Amino acid sequence: MATIIEQQLKSLLQPLLDANLIIKGETVPQEPYAELSTVSCTALGMSDEVDRNVSDDGYLIVRGQRRAEIAIHYYGGDVAEQLSKINDGLRKVSVSEQFQLAQIGIEGSAQLKTEMKEDAQWTPNSETYLSFFIHYSVIIKDAVSVIDNVQATSDGSKTIFNLTR
């Protein structure tokens, strides 16, 4: 299942391609197409920021920054040329503004990479993909609930508390 950030990236990057862009795990269309995947995701900083108060509906809000490595593989002819279109598109001011509006930062420059897997037979562009890093914010709602009522009763020797959520 695609994450929210992957869905946002898909909508931002699709206009840079002449082919369909899918998120890894979606139904594969006929070639040519490109596939977006999140290679890694890391929390930035020492820890996430936690609100001091629980909301009226019982949620504690946690805010954090994330850094993710994104890979785009292209399936079809002219792999390097097609991936270069995305790479060049990421340098456009109009695309940069769209990423800023979506509150996604691109770290450095995207890299066109070709890698070989062990025991794989090399063919032109067989493992060529575009790799880049992004930064974005997350908001996590933690259902800690709210105590509506505290009732204490005592039988003289011990006190019993009853909490109602």
Side-chain angles (χ1 to χ4, degrees):
M1 185 162 126
T3 63
I4 292 170
I5 196 71
E6 287 172 329
Q7 292 169 356
Q8 287 179 308
L9 286 170
K10 180 180 177 180
S11 68
L12 292 166
L13 296 170
Q14 180 61 70
L16 305 178
L17 281 167
D18 297 332
N20 286 330
L21 176 62
I22 65 167
I23 298 169
K24 187 172 186 151
E26 291 181 343
T27 304
V28 176
Q30 286 186 314
E31 288 186 8
Y33 70 94
E35 181 183 68
L36 179 147
S37 62
T38 301
V39 177
S40 65
C41 185
T42 307
L44 294 176
M46 297 298 288
S47 64
D48 291 339
E49 173 189 328
V50 180
D51 277 357
R52 293 185 181 263
N53 299 315
V54 176
S55 66
D56 290 341
D57 53 354
Y59 288 99
L60 189 62
I61 303 298
V62 181
R63 291 179 179 81
Q65 297 292 315
R66 302 291 182 263
R67 177 182 191 247
E69 181 180 4
I70 305 299
I72 300 177
H73 288 81
Y74 186 84
Y75 300 92
D78 302 321
V79 173
E81 181 181 332
Q82 294 301 320
L83 292 174
S84 291
K85 286 181 183 180
I86 299 171
N87 195 5
D88 293 342
L90 290 173
R91 298 174 188 277
K92 292 180 178 179
V93 173
S94 59
V95 173
S96 176
E97 288 175 349
Q98 292 298 313
F99 271 78
Q100 287 176 17
L101 288 171
Q103 297 182 345
I104 300 172
I106 298 176
E107 178 184 315
S109 297
Q111 295 181 340
L112 196 58
K113 297 180 178 181
T114 301
E115 293 182 359
M116 286 293 300
K117 292 183 178 180
E118 287 185 38
D119 74 352
Q121 183 176 0
W122 188 85
T123 58
N125 299 321
S126 62
E127 293 297 324
T128 299
Y129 63 97
L130 188 67
S131 173
F132 59 97
F133 290 90
I134 61 169
H135 293 248
Y136 60 97
S137 298
V138 294
I139 296 176
I140 303 164
K141 292 174 76 173
D142 187 6
V144 295
S145 87
V146 175
I147 298 171
D148 291 324
N149 190 14
V150 178
Q151 184 179 24
T153 58
S154 176
D155 63 5
S157 63
K158 62 181 179 178
T159 304
I160 301 171
F161 292 95
N162 184 14
L163 306 177
T164 306
R165 295 186 188 263

